[in-house]
Amino acid sequence: MKEIYIKWHKISLIKRIILGIFMGILLVLVAPEKASGIVILGDLFVGALKAIAPILVFFLVMVAVLQHKKGQKSNMKSIVVLYLLGTFLAAVVAVVGSFIFPVELILKATEGSIAPPENIYGVLKGLLMNLVDNPMNALLKGNYIGILFWSILFGGFLRDGKESTKQALIDISEVILKTVKTVIEFAPFGIMGLIFNSMKTSGITSLFAYGKLIILLLGCMTFVTFIVNPLIAWIMIRQNPFPLVFKCLKYSGVTAFFTRSSAANIPVNMNLCEELGLDKDMYSVSIPLGATINMAGAAITISVFTLSAAHTLGIEVDIFSAILLSVLSAISACGASGVAGGSLLLIPLACSLFGIPNDIAIQVVGVGFIIGVIQDSCETALNSSTDVLFTSIAEYANWRKEGKTIIFNKLESVK
């Protein structure tokens, strides 16, 4: 068994994940009932990531802050600007795409009560309240805005603490990192269970009725992934960005696609940043922050669904309203992680710009839940992989200014 484990471990993680995907598809085609027990593997994997991620973020950010020396250079300003710019440009792409390829929805009534925020004030208030949430409650509920706030505050005060205390916290963070890496090693089995459950419960037949909407959503996300983001990267580093773009998609986007959780993918992104040789003090803060405010996929979802509803109801959207929608979608997307239900529940807020009644807007949300298997998976893959991309190019741009050479071939060493 030890030899088998060693050989298995020598295979790159992405190859093992691909094997897990094929096994999940094969089992759902051959023995969907007999193999139903493997669903628990997916639940265990995502559950373990979600359980360890808040603790990992809390200690890594706190340790990064307490180790930061006064006068030390930081790329955080550039990273935050990239996050906000990328989210806004994604919203613009979605608005333009919706004008070029207008889509009409098949609106159906939805069951259950949903309480979306009434206005942008509600979104911002929710973000601020999450900011000052009880630290223990933030850790238990995975409230990353609160976790970031308290860990930065604690880390700042600990900079004047005893060296023994600092070292103890550093040791704890290292132990948590090793634990996370161990959990990630089980990704192939977890993803096998996730894809089995997804295909068995939802299938693809229910998605055919919304084919045009799915194509528009995926088209916008693809354009942002392979045109907008690489263009931003090229402007920053003045080198061919596609090796880095594909690397981020390959090692971050794939796992995010199946876990459908930016929070659960934080440890994966941390590991990728480490393998890419990035500054730990930076990515330990920027990656959790990206999972909170870098929401290009969410901005696309909000914009596309809102304009599709407008087209369905015959509402004409002028240029000014389209620009306003882009701004609102970007701001709302940044607050998506602070709202129960994510980006879909922010659609009624955007619909209110065009006077669309709330009961109709809620039906649009229902359509989102129907195609959520595809929409949410692709949205999360775009959001999460871009966290690593923007963190990387911000640091590589700094290397370029210092005269250092950026050699993308080194990225091939990532396992």
Side-chain angles (χ1 to χ4, degrees):
M1 289 296 295
K2 185 177 180 180
E3 291 181 0
I4 294 174
Y5 174 78
I6 293 173
K7 291 180 179 179
W8 171 258
H9 187 73
K10 286 182 178 179
I11 303 172
S12 67
L13 181 61
I14 191 65
K15 291 180 180 178
R16 284 180 276 161
I17 288 175
I18 292 173
L19 179 62
I21 293 171
F22 280 120
M23 287 300 297
I25 295 173
L26 181 64
L27 288 173
V28 81
L29 293 175
V30 176
E33 298 302 328
K34 293 182 179 179
S36 58
I38 69 168
V39 171
I40 195 174
L41 295 177
D43 295 337
L44 288 172
F45 175 65
V46 174
L49 283 179
K50 286 185 176 179
I52 196 65
I55 303 172
L56 171 71
V57 170
F58 182 77
F59 277 96
L60 280 184
V61 172
M62 184 168 55
V63 167
V65 173
L66 70 86
Q67 288 184 306
H68 183 79
K69 298 178 181 179
K70 293 181 179 180
Q72 184 177 343
K73 291 184 178 181
S74 172
N75 297 317
M76 281 306 302
K77 185 183 293 185
S78 298
I79 295 172
V80 171
V81 170
L82 286 171
Y83 284 166
L84 298 178
L85 176 64
T87 301
F88 173 71
L89 291 178
V92 172
V93 167
V95 169
V96 173
S98 296
F99 272 110
I100 297 174
F101 304 103
V103 172
E104 295 187 2
L105 302 176
I106 303 172
L107 299 179
K108 296 181 179 180
T110 58
E111 297 180 359
S113 58
I114 303 176
E118 295 180 356
N119 48 46
I120 194 64
Y121 170 76
V123 176
L124 296 177
K125 181 182 177 181
L127 283 173
L128 292 175
M129 292 306 296
N130 282 334
L131 192 72
V132 294
D133 191 12
N134 181 292
M136 295 303 297
N137 190 54
L139 286 169
L140 288 173
K141 293 186 176 180
N143 170 18
Y144 287 94
I145 296 226
I147 292 171
L148 282 171
F149 175 75
W150 292 114
S151 58
I152 290 172
L153 194 63
F154 292 169
F157 289 130
L158 281 167
R159 290 170 66 181
D160 298 324
K162 295 181 180 180
E163 290 300 321
S164 58
T165 303
K166 294 180 182 179
Q167 188 57 50
L169 291 172
I170 293 171
D171 291 341
I172 292 173
S173 68
E174 291 296 328
V175 169
I176 296 172
L177 268 174
K178 291 179 180 178
T179 304
V180 168
K181 290 179 180 179
T182 301
V183 172
I184 292 174
E185 287 298 318
F186 291 92
F189 303 103
I191 288 176
M192 178 176 66
L194 288 170
I195 195 170
F196 177 90
N197 184 47
S198 179
M199 290 190 66
K200 183 181 177 183
T201 56
S202 301
I204 60 173
T205 55
S206 62
L207 304 178
F208 290 154
Y210 302 96
K212 290 183 178 179
L213 178 61
I214 293 172
I215 291 172
L216 177 58
L217 282 167
L218 299 191
C220 292
M221 292 181 188
T222 301
F223 188 87
V224 170
T225 301
F226 296 108
I227 303 296
V228 176
N229 286 349
L231 182 59
I232 294 173
W234 181 84
I235 292 173
M236 292 289 291
I237 62 178
R238 297 304 172 91
Q239 290 193 28
N240 177 14
F242 285 101
L244 181 60
V245 170
F246 286 121
K247 194 65 63 176
C248 293
L249 287 172
K250 183 177 180 182
Y251 292 96
S252 174
V254 169
T255 54
F257 181 89
F258 291 104
T259 60
R260 293 169 63 183
S261 170
S262 295
N265 215 49
I266 286 175
V268 177
N269 284 350
M270 293 277 201
N271 185 60
L272 177 55
C273 287
E274 181 184 358
E275 295 289 348
L276 291 175
L278 303 182
D279 184 359
K280 184 177 178 182
D281 289 344
M282 289 301 99
Y283 71 71
S284 60
V285 178
S286 67
I287 293 302
L289 181 64
T292 304
I293 68 170
N294 184 34
M295 294 289 174
I300 290 172
T301 296
I302 295 169
S303 299
V304 167
F305 273 96
T306 300
L307 288 178
S308 295
H311 292 143
T312 302
L313 298 175
I315 299 173
E316 293 188 7
V317 182
D318 56 43
I319 297 298
F320 176 77
S321 297
I323 295 173
L324 186 60
L325 175 61
S326 299
V327 175
L328 179 61
S329 295
I331 295 173
S332 300
C334 292
S337 61
V339 179
S343 59
L344 291 178
L345 287 188
L346 292 170
I347 292 172
L349 170 61
C351 285
S352 66
L353 280 178
F354 307 108
I356 298 175
N358 193 56
D359 58 336
I360 298 296
I362 292 300
Q363 293 182 43
V364 178
V365 175
V367 174
F369 283 120
I370 293 173
I371 66 170
V373 173
I374 296 296
Q375 170 265 324
D376 194 36
S377 295
C378 294
E379 177 183 312
T380 309
L382 171 59
N383 292 342
S384 192
S385 61
T386 308
D387 293 346
V388 181
L389 177 66
F390 285 167
T391 297
S392 302
I393 62 175
E395 184 160 344
Y396 291 153
N398 193 46
W399 289 7
R400 185 174 66 86
K401 291 178 182 178
E402 295 175 355
K404 296 180 181 179
T405 303
I406 305 172
I407 304 175
F408 285 124
N409 290 337
K410 288 185 178 180
L411 300 180
E412 294 302 324
S413 63
V414 178
K415 298 295 182 184

